[in-house]
Amino acid sequence: MPSATTSAVVHRNLDADFPRIVNGEGSYVILEDGRRIFDASGGAAVACIGHGDARVHAAIVAQLNQISYCSTIFYTTDVYEKLCRELVDSTHGVMKRAYIVNSGSEAMEAAMKLARQYYLEKSPPEPNRMRFIARQHSYHGTTLGSLSMGGHAMRRAKFEPMLLSCVSRVSRCFPFRDKHEHETDSQYVARLADELDQEFQRVGAETVCAFVAEPIVGAALGCVPFVPGYLKAMKAVCDKHGALFILDEVMCGMGRSGTYHAWEQDDGADPDIQTLGKCLGGGYQPIAGVLASKRVIEALEKGTGAFVHGHTYQGHPVACAAALEVQKIIREDNLIQNVADMGRLLSARLKDLLTSHPNVGDIRGSGLFWGIEFVTDKTTNEPFPSSLGVAHGIAELGLTKPYYIAVYPSSGTADGVNGDHIIISPPYNISPTDVEMVATTVHRLVVDYFASRKMA
C-alpha cells in the first residue's frame, strides 16, 4: 500500500497514511488489514442505506446498459425525469422543479445564481438585488461561491481575499452557546428575527436576494437543530422585505432528521429554494440537487424560459438511477419512520450514558443526526483549543481495537476555530441492537479518550 510519501493522491492531509477500504457490507466498511468498522457516521452523513445494497447496484447496471451519459443541452432521460418528479412530489406542492448536480457545493452555487436570476426575470424586475444574508459559523460548501456564503472562519481563512463581498451574516441559532440564561425559546427566536430584520435594513433590503441557512447545522456546529418557530420567523422577515428564503439541507435533509425534509418540522417554513445532497444518493453515486418553488420557476417561465447555468455532468443518468433507487428503498422500506424511532432511542441512550461526563458539554440532534460537543469545563462550556485536535483524536481512536467504529469529527464548533464535536449519523435501516452497540461503544470511546489524555 502506498505511504504518504509515495502516494500520487492529493489527500486531505498529505502527511497521513490513510487506511484503505476494500469492501463494504451493510453498516460496515472493511479495511485492507481486515478491520470491520461500523460506519456510525455514514461517512459524512452520506451512507443512509448502508454499503453494498444489491438493489442499487442493479439499478446502476441497468442504466449503464441503456445510456451512461446524457448531454442535457440536447436531451433528457427517463431516469432524470423520474427522479426530479419524485423530489418535487415529496414537497407536497411546495416545489415545482428540481435541478440535479454533482455535489452540495454545486447545489449552493446554483441556488445563488437562481435567486439572482429570479429577480431579473420577475415582473417587475429588481436588478439591484445581488446580496445574500447568511449566518455566522455556517458551512455551505467549498467552492468559492459557496465558501463565500459560509461563515466558518477556519475554512475561509486562506481564501478570504478571493471570496465574494456580497454576503453578510447574522447570528447562528445555537441555544447551547448563544441563548441567554433566562431567555425563553420564543424570546430567543424574536431576538434573532429582529437581528435579521435590522440586517436587511442595514445593507438595504432592496439589494438582498435571500437569507440562507441550514435548518439543522451539520459539520460546522454538530447537528444543532433550529429552535421551534425559528424557521417560520426568519421566513416572515424575508417575506416582509421581498427576499427569498433558501434552506440548505445537503446534510440534514432527505430523511436524515426524521422527516423527509427538515423544514417540515416547522409549520409555515416552506423554502423558496432548497439544496439537497448527501442522502439523495446515499454515496452510491456523486449527486446533489436544488428544488425551486412555484414562485421562482414561474418567474423564469414567464421570462426568458431558461436558467443561465449548467454543468457537463448535470442530471447524469447513472447518478440519477442510483438516487432514484435509494429513494425508492427509503420509501418502500418505511425508513423515515425507522429514522424517527431509532433516533429517539439513540438520543436517549447517548444522553443516559454521556450527559454526566465532565467533558461532554451538549448532546443535540434530530432523527439519526446527533452531535456531541466537548468542553474543558462544563460550568463555563469553555472549548478545547484547536491545537489539541480533540474531535479528530476521538475519531482516529475509534478506528482501533476494541472500538472499530467510525464517527465524524469536526472542529471550530465554538467560534469557527476552537471547539470540537463528533457526529453520529448511522444508516436509516439501523436496528435497536445496533443503536445500543453504537451508544455503548461511543460512550466507551469518549471515556477512554479523555482518560488516556488526562483531560477529564
Side-chain angles (χ1 to χ4, degrees):
M1 184 175 78
S3 69
T5 56
T6 62
S7 176
V9 178
V10 182
H11 285 294
R12 292 177 183 240
N13 183 340
L14 300 182
D15 296 324
D17 289 323
F18 287 88
R20 182 172 296 192
I21 292 178
V22 296
N23 204 347
E25 297 175 358
S27 296
Y28 290 86
V29 294
I30 301 165
L31 306 187
E32 190 175 46
D33 60 11
R35 279 178 286 170
R36 290 176 58 87
I37 308 295
F38 190 92
D39 195 3
S41 68
V46 173
C48 56
I49 62 167
H51 305 280
D53 193 295
R55 295 167 291 183
V56 185
H57 293 179
I60 290 172
V61 171
Q63 184 58 49
L64 285 169
N65 287 332
Q66 294 178 18
I67 187 71
S68 60
Y69 166 69
C70 172
S71 176
T72 55
I73 299 174
F74 305 110
Y75 314 107
T76 188
T77 57
D78 187 54
V79 71
Y80 189 14
E81 297 290 337
K82 286 182 177 178
L83 177 61
C84 289
R85 174 51 56 195
E86 173 103 1
L87 295 174
V88 167
D89 287 351
S90 75
T91 69
H92 307 292
V94 173
M95 299 298 185
K96 188 169 183 178
R97 291 190 186 237
Y99 184 81
I100 300 300
V101 292
N102 308 291
S103 72
S105 296
E106 285 184 22
M108 180 51 64
E109 297 272 339
M112 294 169 70
K113 293 175 74 174
L114 183 59
R116 165 65 177 167
Q117 192 175 337
Y118 163 75
Y119 285 103
L120 297 177
E121 305 261 340
K122 68 182 287 289
S123 182
E126 298 183 62
N128 290 332
R129 289 191 185 263
M130 41 67 70
R131 299 189 61 86
F132 293 87
I133 302 174
R135 300 192 300 187
Q136 297 164 1
H137 310 127
S138 56
Y139 179 66
H140 296 291
T142 194
T143 55
L144 289 177
S146 60
L147 190 62
S148 298
M149 186 67 74
H152 196 284
M154 188 166 56
R155 289 178 169 91
R156 291 172 56 98
K158 288 182 171 62
F159 310 103
E160 284 287 355
M162 304 169 66
L163 301 182
L164 300 174
S165 60
C166 60
V167 182
S168 62
R169 286 173 195 83
V170 293
S171 297
R172 59 199 179 176
C173 181
F174 193 2
F176 172 64
R177 290 202 169 272
D178 301 341
K179 185 180 173 184
H180 296 163
E181 184 177 358
H182 300 296
E183 198 171 33
T184 65
D185 281 354
S186 60
Q187 289 170 335
Y188 182 41
V189 168
R191 175 160 63 87
L192 294 175
D194 182 63
E195 181 186 355
L196 178 61
D197 185 72
Q198 290 181 40
E199 183 64 9
F200 268 100
Q201 296 176 52
R202 186 187 73 82
V203 301
E206 72 283 356
T207 70
V208 178
C209 287
F211 169 68
V212 181
E214 287 180 274
I216 303 173
V217 185
L221 298 183
C223 307
V224 176
F226 60 86
V227 173
Y230 170 81
L231 296 181
K232 180 179 180 180
M234 303 307 262
K235 177 179 172 64
V237 176
C238 292
D239 290 344
K240 173 183 174 181
H241 295 292
L244 298 178
F245 184 54
I246 299 179
L247 293 180
D248 179 352
E249 294 207 4
V250 167
M251 200 170 198
C252 67
M254 308 307 297
R256 174 58 69 188
S257 65
T259 52
Y260 201 76
H261 305 288
W263 52 262
E264 294 178 283
Q265 299 174 32
D266 205 12
D267 290 340
D270 301 353
D272 296 296
I273 298 173
Q274 175 187 352
T275 60
L276 42 89
K278 300 177 186 297
C279 290
L280 173 58
Y284 285 87
Q285 287 284 289
I287 190 167
V290 179
L291 291 171
S293 67
K294 295 178 181 179
R295 171 187 179 184
V296 172
I297 292 300
E298 288 174 2
L300 269 63
E301 288 175 340
K302 294 173 183 178
T304 62
F307 179 28
V308 187
H309 189 60
H311 293 277
T312 298
Y313 295 113
Q314 71 181 62
H316 193 277
V318 179
C320 289
L324 187 63
E325 187 65 23
V326 168
Q327 297 311 307
K328 178 183 177 183
I329 290 167
I330 290 172
R331 182 180 65 254
E332 293 185 352
D333 291 0
N334 198 28
L335 293 185
I336 304 296
Q337 185 61 54
N338 198 60
V339 170
D341 293 342
M342 294 302 98
R344 284 189 289 270
L345 181 59
L346 179 61
S347 166
R349 291 299 291 137
L350 288 174
K351 290 177 181 178
D352 286 346
L353 293 167
L354 282 168
T355 296
S356 62
H357 190 281
N359 296 116
V360 172
D362 193 31
I363 302 170
R364 68 283 185 127
S366 180
L368 287 175
F369 195 45
W370 286 88
I372 303 172
E373 182 173 348
F374 304 105
V375 296
T376 63
D377 186 336
K378 289 173 78 84
T379 60
T380 64
N381 293 327
E382 182 74 17
F384 286 101
S386 60
S387 59
L388 292 181
V390 168
H392 287 272
I394 292 171
E396 289 172 2
L397 181 62
L399 299 181
T400 66
K401 188 177 181 178
Y403 316 102
Y404 291 159
I405 192 168
V407 296
Y408 184 80
S410 196
S411 55
T413 320
D415 57 15
V417 177
N418 300 302
D420 298 85
H421 65 262
I422 58 171
I423 291 175
I424 301 166
S425 47
Y428 295 1
N429 48 16
I430 194 171
S431 69
T433 301
D434 290 334
V435 168
E436 182 64 20
M437 183 275 292
V438 168
T440 55
T441 304
V442 169
H443 169 249
R444 186 166 70 250
L445 174 62
V446 170
V447 169
D448 291 354
Y449 174 83
F450 286 107
S452 68
R453 283 148 184 80
K454 299 180 179 179
M455 291 179 175

